[in-house]
Amino acid sequence: MSESTAPARPGPAGPLSGLLVADFSRILAGPYATMLLADLGADVVKVEGPHGDDTRSWTPPVRDGVSTYYLGINRGKRSVALDLRDEADREAARELARRADVVIENFRPGGLVKYGLDYASVRTGNPAVVYASISGFGSGAGRDVPGYDLMVQAVSGLMSLTGEPGGPPYRAGISVFDVMAGNHAAIGILAALRHRDASGEGQHVEVNLLSSALTGLVNHSSAYVAGGEVPYRMGNAHPSVFPYEPLPTADNDLIVAAANDGQFRKLCEVLGIPRIPDDPRFARNADRTANREELRPLLVEQLVKRGANEWFELLVEAGVPSGPINTIDGGFAMAERFGLDPVVTVGEGERAVPTTRHPVTFSATPAVYRLPPPGLDEHGAELRAWLARDPEDTRD
């Protein structure tokens, strides 16, 4: 752990308690990663420029005048505003990096060299540091290309897979590769910390959105790399499984995902067409996929006799994966129904903010929710005072 711990935070400790994270990242991928670490007990100091993280101004929507985008990825952190063009602020930033267990940044590769905050510079004074860098296209030939999720959805091929056949390409409804890269950064940091625990050595962890995208395209990437095939968009259909898509009912579409022979047989039994799986055209998944245009109307003929929610209850009871197509409020309602308690409140009184629960459940070291998303420079005075003090001085 760090040689000098930041001012103590209230509340219970988590599994990463005592770990100091200097967060020089902004927007989504980096802040998402550091929020996950904060949920696990790490002390995350969010370093912002004088005008704050870009997402503070990404509105609407807002809650009490604050961007809900910003609120969604910055709980559990303390904020200090430092202008890296100012020598005193720059020195404070260097001192924070010198004391930190983890430094994370998503500047353009090489962008922190002039401030003495790049990996080589930080490592000189803090050889055990785990230094994580997130970029759009890596630190090599793509270092000068700005990295935004929408760009990566385009260049990676994801948009070519999204939309109706013959129609225009579409972006995913969220910044999927920013979130994926944030998860990869958190995994990389934890692995590097494990190595440090065993060896005492820090290291540089690099994550880029394009690599996260290509691994995240999973079966589509494998279709090209291993099979030599370039997949194209199929609307909501799956290239290798059927039925695995929305199908119409008496009212709304219903996702039906009978991905193996047993599930398909159960589906047909619930639909009242138990002999369909014995038809050689539909006996195996490969058969059903090849003959999907013949099978689909046979399923739809039965599904239109009841509504989506009624079929959902019947199919789930029979062990057939299915689900209604909800809006976000319906998704949270479903999580509540299943006892997942998807919303937690961070902070107290006027500062209380409802937020989405950490996705991992631990039997012994649960996630902690101690601080609401900070105001710009909310903890600046105490953090500057701490950084100015001799690190051997353990007073709060």
Side-chain angles (χ1 to χ4, degrees):
M1 298 302 175
S2 60
E3 65 183 47
S4 178
T5 304
R9 298 191 301 170
L16 298 184
S17 178
L19 196 77
L20 177 60
V21 178
D23 182 6
F24 290 88
S25 69
R26 65 267 199 224
I27 304 182
L28 180 49
Y32 184 75
T34 55
M35 181 182 73
L36 296 179
L37 299 178
D39 288 348
L40 300 181
D43 279 316
V44 178
V45 176
K46 182 177 179 66
V47 179
E48 304 184 71
H51 301 293
D53 191 311
D54 290 9
T55 60
R56 289 183 181 274
S57 64
W58 284 11
T59 60
V62 299
R63 178 185 176 88
D64 297 330
V66 182
S67 161
T68 59
Y69 198 124
Y70 170 80
L71 293 177
I73 48 176
N74 284 290
R75 65 176 176 240
K77 308 174 188 181
R78 295 177 185 267
S79 170
V80 58
L82 298 175
D83 186 347
L84 298 182
R85 297 167 298 181
D86 177 83
E87 178 55 34
D89 280 3
R90 194 159 57 243
E91 181 54 38
R94 292 192 194 111
E95 179 64 17
L96 175 62
R98 192 185 71 79
R99 300 186 188 191
D101 297 287
V102 175
V103 172
I104 182 168
E105 56 88 15
N106 60 353
F107 283 71
R108 189 176 297 185
L112 287 175
V113 172
K114 61 185 176 182
Y115 303 122
L117 289 165
D118 58 300
Y119 173 60
S121 299
V122 171
R123 184 176 182 273
T124 299
N126 185 0
V129 70
V130 171
Y131 188 108
S133 298
I134 303 174
S135 64
F137 301 94
S139 57
R143 62 185 294 141
D144 294 326
V145 182
Y148 282 83
D149 184 273
L150 179 59
M151 294 169 56
V152 178
Q153 289 197 33
V155 303
S156 68
L158 175 65
M159 290 179 66
S160 75
L161 301 170
T162 309
E164 291 298 322
Y170 278 95
R171 67 179 288 269
I174 63 164
S175 295
V176 60
F177 295 137
D178 268 330
V179 174
M180 196 175 291
N183 276 305
H184 290 160
I187 293 168
I189 287 168
L190 294 175
L193 288 170
R194 177 71 178 94
H195 172 75
R196 189 183 77 168
D197 288 345
S199 68
E201 298 177 347
Q203 62 180 297
H204 191 189
V205 175
E206 295 188 71
V207 175
N208 69 81
L209 269 66
L210 183 55
S211 292
S212 286
L214 296 179
T215 189
L217 291 174
V218 286
N219 57 303
H220 295 295
S221 291
S222 184
Y224 170 67
V225 173
E229 295 187 14
V230 177
Y232 291 98
R233 52 190 170 275
M234 298 176 61
N236 287 313
H238 194 290
S240 307
V241 182
F242 186 85
Y244 197 93
E245 62 186 55
L247 294 173
T249 70
D251 47 23
N252 300 309
D253 283 358
L254 177 75
I255 295 295
V256 177
N260 60 50
D261 296 344
Q263 291 172 347
F264 180 67
R265 186 168 291 277
K266 290 179 182 178
L267 169 65
C268 292
E269 289 172 356
V270 174
L271 295 184
I273 45 175
R275 294 185 180 180
I276 290 292
D278 298 325
D279 187 319
R281 295 175 299 170
F282 313 132
R284 300 172 304 160
N285 175 68
D287 303 320
R288 294 189 292 275
T289 302
N291 298 299
R292 68 176 73 206
E293 297 307 322
E294 298 171 62
L295 177 55
R296 184 184 288 107
L298 300 178
L299 301 177
V300 171
E301 183 180 9
Q302 301 303 115
L303 285 166
V304 295
K305 296 176 180 179
R306 300 175 187 261
N309 286 327
E310 187 176 0
W311 279 124
F312 169 64
E313 301 293 344
L314 293 169
L315 291 171
V316 167
E317 184 179 0
V320 179
S322 69
I325 301 175
N326 293 324
T327 50
I328 297 292
D329 55 334
F332 275 87
M334 188 73 77
E336 289 282 4
R337 169 183 169 176
F338 295 146
L340 300 179
D341 298 326
V343 178
V344 293
T345 298
V346 184
E348 299 177 351
E350 294 182 355
R351 293 296 307 278
V353 178
T355 184
T356 308
R357 181 177 294 278
H358 187 90
V360 182
T361 299
F362 297 85
S363 64
T365 55
V368 293
Y369 309 97
R370 293 181 289 198
L371 293 172
L376 178 60
D377 203 40
E378 179 178 343
H379 308 93
E382 66 185 68
L383 287 167
R384 287 188 187 88
W386 170 66
L387 291 168
R389 205 161 60 218
D390 186 324
E392 299 303 320
D393 184 347
T394 59
R395 294 172 299 163
D396 285 346

